[in-house]
Every structure is written in C-alpha cells, then in structure tokens.
Amino acid sequence: MTPSALTDAAAEAAARGDLDSALSLVRHALSQAPESVPALICLGNVLAECGDASAAATAYGVALQAAPHSFEAHANAGLLASEQPGRRAAAAAHLRAALAINPRWVDGCYNLGNLLAGPGSTTAEKLEAIRMYERALALAPDDVDVLCNLTDCLNDLALFERGEAVAAEAARRHPTHAGAAKRHALLLMQRGRHDEALAAARAAAAR
C-alpha cells in the first residue's frame, strides 16, 4: 500500500475505534514517507485519541515544520492545546493561524471565543471573544451554543442590553432550549423587566 492509502486506512481504523491498528498503519505510512504531512496529522489525531497529548502535539509540530500553512495541522494543534492546562497561549496562536487560512471555520471562531472568554480572561480578551462569537454567528446564525456563550460573555462585561438582545434571539430561535430561556430570564431580571423575566423563567421551567 502507498503512504496515502495507509494513512486513509489508519483514519478509517481510528474512526471505528481501532486505535492500535490505526497507529500501526500510520506508522507504516511514515516509515515510507517520513515527511508526509497528512500522515503526521493523522498520527497526531490518533495519539490524541489515545490520550497521549504530548506525542500528538509533537506530531502536529513536525507537520507544521514541513507545511507551516497547513490548516489541518494548526486547527488540530489548537484544539488539542486548548484542552491542556498551561497551553492557552499556544492554543490561541494555532487557532488564529487556522482562521487566517480558513476564515469561515465556524468551530474555530467558537473555540477561540471560548478560550478568550475563559476564567482569568482580561476585558480585552473578552471583547475579542465577542468578536469571535459574532463571526461564528455570521456563518451559523442558528448555533445555540454560540448564542448562549455570547450572551454569557456580554453579561460578564455588564453589556446587559446587548446580552438581552442576543438571549432573546437564542430563545426565539430555540424555544425548547432551557439554557437559552434561562439566560433570557436572567438578562431581563438584570434590566428590571421583572414580569417578562418571570414569564421567561416559567417557560424555562416548563421545558
């Protein structure tokens, strides 16, 4: 089998949950083509699935040495780093690089927003997170997770009027989503619209 065919077979094995076979196949591919970027990315993906984050990050790093503008390598490295303590800056750098290559990557906008809005974030970071969520919504207006997280970020910055508008939109688009309804009720309460807040809270409880 060619390195490309071996890499495809490794990805299929990983999708089935057969990680041992996936590792064997992708390592065979790399024994034939050590600088194959698709194989290196596949190796990183499989190692990440195996729980070996350090080795996965190394594989992505080698892939980026060979192809510094690889969207897949930056995207996967960013998502991996975002799940690791102490690698927030590296995660943001990779996600920004991936978004520079593919600005229409909705999940990238969403995940970078989550990273920037997380615990310990500065006001500047939260404002950038808002921009990321808004970029995601421009591409996927119905995404309830983006709507809810944008609401939370606006609330954190005391931008209650904007937050209430986003929360209302989330509740309108997703009338059976309890989280959207609860956020809407909270923002209405914070703006002193108690009767509307009570109605929204009751609707949320009913769901």
Side-chain angles (χ1 to χ4, degrees):
M1 293 176 71
T2 65
S4 178
L6 286 165
T7 300
D8 289 343
E12 291 171 4
R16 295 193 306 268
D18 187 356
L19 298 180
D20 288 339
S21 294
L23 278 175
S24 177
L25 288 162
V26 74
R27 283 174 171 153
H28 189 189
L30 286 166
S31 71
Q32 297 181 23
E35 295 186 356
S36 168
V37 172
L40 286 163
I41 293 171
C42 181
L43 176 61
N45 295 345
V46 175
L47 288 168
E49 286 292 322
C50 290
D52 193 343
S54 178
T58 297
Y60 295 140
V62 175
L64 285 167
Q65 288 176 3
H69 301 294
S70 167
F71 166 76
E72 290 81 3
H74 275 301
N76 290 330
L79 293 174
L80 176 70
S82 69
E83 298 173 352
Q84 296 176 273
R87 300 207 63 212
R88 187 168 177 267
H94 282 301
L95 291 174
R96 287 190 179 105
L99 283 165
I101 299 164
N102 180 10
R104 298 185 63 81
W105 183 33
V106 176
D107 286 347
C109 295
Y110 174 67
N111 281 285
L112 181 54
N114 290 346
L115 194 69
L116 294 166
S121 297
T122 64
T123 297
E125 288 172 329
K126 287 184 184 294
L127 289 170
E128 185 182 355
I130 289 170
R131 292 194 292 274
M132 289 298 104
Y133 291 138
E134 289 173 341
R135 276 180 61 179
L137 287 173
L139 298 166
D142 285 331
D143 193 312
V144 69
D145 292 326
V146 179
L147 287 163
C148 287
N149 287 12
L150 174 56
T151 299
D152 291 341
C153 197
L154 290 165
N155 196 25
D156 287 345
L157 291 174
L159 298 172
F160 301 130
E161 184 174 354
R162 287 179 63 191
E164 192 274 319
V166 174
E169 182 67 10
R172 185 186 70 80
R173 288 178 179 269
H174 303 277
T176 62
H177 192 281
K182 289 177 182 177
R183 284 171 172 84
H184 189 208
L186 174 63
L187 268 296
L188 288 168
M189 183 66 71
Q190 287 172 331
R191 296 192 66 204
R193 293 159 63 180
H194 302 296
D195 291 343
E196 293 173 75
L198 182 58
R202 284 173 174 161
R207 292 165 194 150

